[in-house]
């Protein structure tokens, strides 16, 4: 009786570790899947960047004021500035820039550098957008204006890096204007740790060990499957709880803190929820499959 209780306690501990290991491995996969250049550019492209023009208090951000001043200084018409900020070429550029910032902040890799050639290419890509925007307002965008803009970019090329801050300057601006605080260092540490290849390998070994240990403790197939089903259900309901938490408390908090970015927050929470539901449904399907196996075994036992 004593040994039986010990086996149960060890089995439940193993179930807990198995579930936690699977949860961590899933989070590592989701982070790596979503935090790449292609995904970040896609997420930015799907949203309106005009929310960057105001702080969570509704005031115009210094970052946006700097951007507008620079765009005006190189000859971009004031009437077309919002269209330029929300254009596809600009969003792609911002996505690449954001990805490089993430790489440096989280992984301390990569080299963030904006050159005059990058700005020239960006502005040229925006010429059709500027022309279309001005035409809608009864204005024209002439060849002379385009040449003037390119000449002014060359003249103001030394100010390019002032417009696009270094990583440290970016963090400082975020601390002052957005939803950034000291706890981000902990967040960065967690992401850096959980997406580390060494940690992922350790998690895989840890999961394999727990599976082997459960089979060793419970050599009868029925008992082992019951424990595995319990672990899978714990895993699934954990992520259901996370999904509900993100869709209610987190979303409401972010939307109340920075109302101008509500569309972005709603979009990102929906993306995360969609990703989570893939794993939730896989877990529930596997749990149902194991339940079906146990039911058939019970039916066979009754027939004997």
């Amino acid at each position: 009786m004593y040994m039986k209780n010990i086996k149960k306690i060890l089995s439940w501990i193993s179930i807990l570790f198995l579930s936690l290991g699977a949860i961590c491995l899933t989070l590592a996969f989701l982070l790596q899947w979503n935090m790449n250049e292609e995904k970040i550019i896609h997420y930015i492209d799907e949203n309106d960047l005009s929310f960057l023009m105001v702080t969570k208090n509704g005031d115009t951000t210094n970052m946006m004021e700097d951007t507008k001043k620079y765009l005006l200084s190189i000859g971009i018409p004031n009437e077309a500035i919002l269209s330029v900020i929300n254009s596809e070429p600009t969003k792609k550029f911002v996505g690449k820039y954001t990805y490089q910032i993430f790489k440096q902040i989280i992984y301390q890799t990569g080299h963030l550098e904006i050159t005059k050639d990058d700005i020239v290419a960006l502005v040229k890509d925006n010429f059709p957008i500027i022309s279309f925007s001005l035409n809608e307002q009864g204005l024209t965008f002439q060849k002379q204006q385009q040449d003037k803009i390119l000449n002014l970019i060359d003249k103001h090329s030394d100010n390019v890096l002032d417009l696009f801050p270094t990583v440290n300057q970016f963090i400082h601006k975020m601390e002052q204007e957005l939803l950034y605080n000291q706890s981000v260092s902990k967040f960065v540490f967690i992401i850096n740790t959980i997406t580390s290849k060494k940690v992922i390998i350790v998690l895989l070994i840890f999961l394999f060990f727990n599976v082997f240990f459960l089979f060793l403790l419970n050599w009868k197939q029925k008992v082992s499957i019951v424990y595995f089903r319990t672990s899978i259900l714990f895993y699934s309901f954990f992520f259901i709880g996370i999904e509900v938490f993100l869709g209610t408390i987190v979303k409401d908090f972010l939307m109340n803190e920075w109302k101008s970015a509500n569309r972005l927050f709603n979009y990102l929470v929906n993306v995360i929820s969609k990703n989570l539901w893939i794993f939730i449904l896989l877990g529930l399907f596997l749990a149902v499959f194991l339940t079906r196996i146990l039911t058939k075994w019970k039916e066979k036992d009754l027939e004997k």
Side-chain angles (χ1 to χ4, degrees):
M1 186 67 180
Y2 176 77
M3 289 301 297
K4 189 175 181 180
N5 290 335
I6 292 295
K7 283 176 64 176
K8 279 189 176 182
I9 293 172
L10 291 175
S11 295
W12 280 105
I13 292 174
S14 186
I15 284 174
L16 178 62
F17 285 159
L18 185 62
S19 301
L20 292 177
I23 288 168
C24 290
L25 199 60
T26 302
L27 291 175
F29 173 79
L30 288 175
L31 286 170
Q32 289 195 334
W33 174 256
N34 288 283
M35 291 186 64
N36 59 70
E37 186 173 351
E38 183 181 351
K39 288 288 183 181
I40 290 174
I41 291 174
H42 174 72
Y43 295 152
I44 290 177
D45 188 49
E46 290 289 306
N47 286 276
D48 183 352
L49 295 183
S50 59
F51 73 90
L52 292 172
M53 297 178 69
V54 294
T55 66
K56 60 182 180 180
N57 298 320
D59 301 323
T60 303
T61 62
N62 292 333
M63 205 183 303
M64 187 51 61
E65 285 291 346
D66 292 342
T67 302
K68 290 179 69 175
K69 286 178 183 177
Y70 182 82
L71 293 176
L72 290 171
S73 72
I74 62 173
I76 304 295
N78 186 56
E79 297 84 356
I81 285 179
L82 189 58
S83 296
V84 169
I85 290 172
N86 273 312
S87 72
E88 185 175 336
T90 300
K91 289 179 178 180
K92 186 175 181 180
F93 181 87
V94 171
K96 289 184 176 180
Y97 184 69
T98 303
Y99 174 69
Q100 291 300 323
I101 287 176
F102 281 164
K103 278 181 67 178
Q104 283 198 261
I105 290 177
I106 297 173
Y107 302 111
Q108 290 82 47
T109 60
H111 180 61
L112 184 63
E113 182 181 6
I114 306 296
T115 66
K116 182 181 70 175
D117 291 338
D118 294 327
I119 303 302
V120 170
L122 175 61
V123 171
K124 283 184 177 180
D125 288 340
N126 271 294
F127 278 167
I129 286 90
I130 296 172
S131 180
F132 180 78
S133 178
L134 292 179
N135 287 339
E136 283 193 323
Q137 301 174 62
L139 303 171
T140 57
F141 188 49
Q142 300 176 351
K143 182 66 166 57
Q144 293 90 331
Q145 288 177 281
Q146 297 180 21
D147 293 338
K148 181 183 177 182
I149 288 172
L150 295 176
N151 289 331
L152 286 170
I153 290 175
D154 186 64
K155 180 181 177 181
H156 292 274
S157 60
D158 291 339
N159 297 325
V160 171
L161 290 180
D162 292 333
L163 174 63
F164 297 96
T166 64
V167 172
N168 289 334
Q169 290 171 333
F170 179 84
I171 293 174
H172 181 64
K173 286 179 179 289
M174 292 282 280
E175 286 175 341
Q176 290 180 322
E177 298 174 357
L178 307 179
L179 297 176
Y180 194 96
N181 53 56
Q182 291 181 351
S183 64
V184 78
S185 59
K186 298 177 182 177
F187 178 70
V188 167
F189 174 77
I190 292 171
I191 293 179
N192 193 14
T193 301
I194 201 171
T195 56
S196 166
K197 289 183 179 180
K198 291 181 179 179
V199 171
I200 290 174
I201 291 172
V202 169
L203 283 173
L204 288 171
I205 294 172
F206 181 73
L207 287 174
F208 176 79
F209 172 78
N210 276 280
V211 170
F212 177 76
F213 188 62
L214 267 176
F215 272 121
L216 193 64
L217 283 173
N218 307 280
W219 55 272
K220 291 182 180 179
Q221 287 183 322
K222 292 180 185 178
V223 179
S224 297
I225 288 180
V226 169
Y227 280 128
F228 280 121
R229 183 184 60 180
T230 303
S231 178
I232 292 167
L233 288 173
F234 180 84
Y235 168 92
S236 299
F237 283 110
F238 173 84
F239 279 120
I240 289 175
I242 293 295
E243 196 279 332
V244 172
F245 179 70
L246 285 173
T248 54
I249 297 174
V250 172
K251 185 187 284 189
D252 289 343
F253 171 76
L254 291 174
M255 287 185 170
N256 289 328
E257 284 291 319
W258 194 3
K259 293 183 179 179
S260 59
N262 279 358
R263 179 179 171 182
L264 175 66
F265 292 139
N266 185 66
Y267 175 82
L268 291 178
V269 169
N270 288 340
V271 167
I272 295 170
S273 296
K274 182 179 178 180
N275 290 336
L276 287 178
W277 271 108
I278 293 173
F279 290 94
I280 290 169
L281 292 175
L282 284 173
L284 292 176
F285 175 80
L286 187 55
V288 170
F289 176 72
L290 293 177
T291 300
R292 183 62 180 163
I293 290 176
L294 288 171
T295 302
K296 284 188 175 182
W297 282 351
K298 286 182 180 179
E299 289 174 354
K300 287 182 179 179
D301 289 342
L302 291 174
E303 290 175 0
K304 292 180 180 179

